[in-house]
Amino acid sequence: PRWATQRTPGRKTLGPQAAAAAASFGQPLMPWQQQVADVGLEVDEDGIPYYREVVVTVPRQQGKTTLILAFEIQRAVSQPGSRIAYAAQDGKAAREKLIIEQGPLLINPRYPVHHTVDRIMRGIGNESVTFLNGSRIFTLASTEDSGHGKVIDLGVIDESFAAEDDRLEGAMLPAMLTRPGAQIFNLSTAGTDKSPFLRSKVDTGRAAVAADKRSGVAYFEWIGHEDAPIDDPATWWSCMPALGRTVRIEEVEHALATMTEGKFRRTMLNQWTVS
């Protein structure tokens, strides 16, 4: 990554637990995902995370969903009774991700994780995954009062480039006030001039990395250099951490041939564009 919070020697990390969680649903972490987990899940002697917020920006199709699910399962299984809120661009997107994409992995008898799951609730407005130990993953609507009356131990904001304001974060933070070990996990591809919320997270994260801050916010950004030629495979290798693993170079070549330059820069190189 061009920007990355560094691992602090001597600190305990729950990163290996996240790796075990990913393996439990058949998708072992790639090196970039393990890097985020090892740093973002550093904890003190009482098990409290050093980073209340973990922000990751990376090109499309690099494995964000796997990393999200690894964080969610790690928290749900290791801390019984955890409340995990998942939010995406809107309620429909959150439902599709949790129930349609993640759900089948969690109840597939081929994977050990299914032994920890109680049931999946699919009813509109009640979408959630409940675990035998009392933990629960539920979708959170993108409204200011969506977190009212809830307690949240882990809040996930997926593809926050689509958020035009901080309503989701504003709904989560009050629900975390009584939970010293709570975290917000924010993952997205780069945005446009209509992505002020994510832009503020990028600016804050880059500043934290530049200042070598080792608490509060952990930040990671994979981005192609703006002056590098977009048709040069070396540019792709510089910012696509899943290239050569789960993404073939042929797919990137096809994207280059079919996408507009702006779309390719934002989705494939994680560069900011104008809408």
Side-chain angles (χ1 to χ4, degrees):
R2 197 191 304 185
W3 283 274
T5 301
Q6 299 300 304
R7 181 83 168 89
T8 301
R11 285 183 180 175
K12 178 183 177 181
T13 177
L14 303 181
Q17 290 186 9
S24 78
F25 56 85
Q27 297 190 22
L29 294 183
M30 289 180 276
W32 82 265
Q33 297 165 324
Q34 191 67 61
Q35 178 182 2
V36 172
D38 286 343
V39 176
L41 294 177
E42 289 182 349
V43 296
D44 64 18
E45 60 272 13
D46 296 317
I48 305 301
Y50 284 96
Y51 301 102
R52 189 77 166 178
E53 182 176 15
V54 180
V55 180
V56 179
T57 74
V58 68
R60 291 286 306 277
Q61 300 299 318
Q62 300 301 299
K64 291 192 298 294
T65 297
T66 294
L67 187 56
I68 287 171
L69 192 53
F71 266 63
E72 291 172 337
I73 298 304
Q74 183 277 325
R75 174 73 65 147
V77 173
S78 68
Q79 299 181 30
S82 290
R83 294 294 178 260
I84 301 162
Y86 175 80
Q89 299 99 311
D90 52 43
K92 180 177 181 292
R95 172 185 171 82
E96 289 179 351
K97 184 72 72 171
L98 180 61
I99 303 303
I100 298 176
E101 291 188 32
Q102 298 180 349
L105 292 174
L106 299 179
I107 59 175
N108 189 325
R110 293 172 50 202
Y111 302 136
V113 70
H114 91 276
H115 293 294
T116 69
V117 176
D118 181 17
R119 58 179 174 166
I120 296 179
M121 306 288 288
R122 295 179 171 82
I124 301 298
N126 193 38
E127 299 93 342
S128 61
V129 178
T130 58
F131 293 78
L132 294 172
N133 67 0
S135 292
R136 182 169 175 257
I137 306 173
F138 57 92
T139 59
L140 192 70
S142 56
T143 58
E144 292 182 6
D145 62 350
S146 58
H148 186 72
K150 294 181 173 65
V151 172
I152 295 175
D153 297 288
L154 174 64
V156 177
I157 303 177
D158 192 7
E159 295 295 16
S160 57
F161 74 86
E164 296 184 357
D165 53 43
D166 63 352
R167 276 179 294 175
L168 273 174
E169 185 180 63
M172 289 180 177
L173 288 177
M176 296 179 170
L177 285 177
T178 62
R179 316 297 277 188
Q183 287 184 296
I184 285 184
F185 192 30
N186 185 338
L187 294 94
S188 185
T189 297
T192 70
D193 53 326
K194 294 183 178 179
S195 308
F197 173 67
L198 179 59
R199 183 75 250 180
S200 70
K201 294 300 178 182
V202 168
D203 293 341
T204 298
R206 289 177 178 179
V209 171
D212 196 27
K213 292 188 65 175
R214 301 298 179 95
S215 64
V217 178
Y219 183 75
F220 306 86
E221 180 178 359
W222 281 261
I223 178 174
H225 284 272
E226 289 76 8
D227 57 352
I230 66 171
D231 59 351
D232 186 349
T235 304
W236 311 340
W237 286 104
S238 74
C239 65
M240 300 180 70
L243 189 60
R245 296 177 183 275
T246 59
V247 175
R248 300 190 313 154
I249 200 164
E250 289 82 1
E251 273 75 56
V252 186
E253 290 172 342
H254 178 72
L256 178 67
T258 56
M259 286 181 172
T260 63
E261 179 178 339
K263 190 75 169 179
F264 185 86
R265 284 185 179 276
R266 192 180 75 80
T267 61
M268 298 292 110
L269 305 182
N270 201 35
Q271 295 175 352
W272 284 72
T273 62
V274 176
S275 60

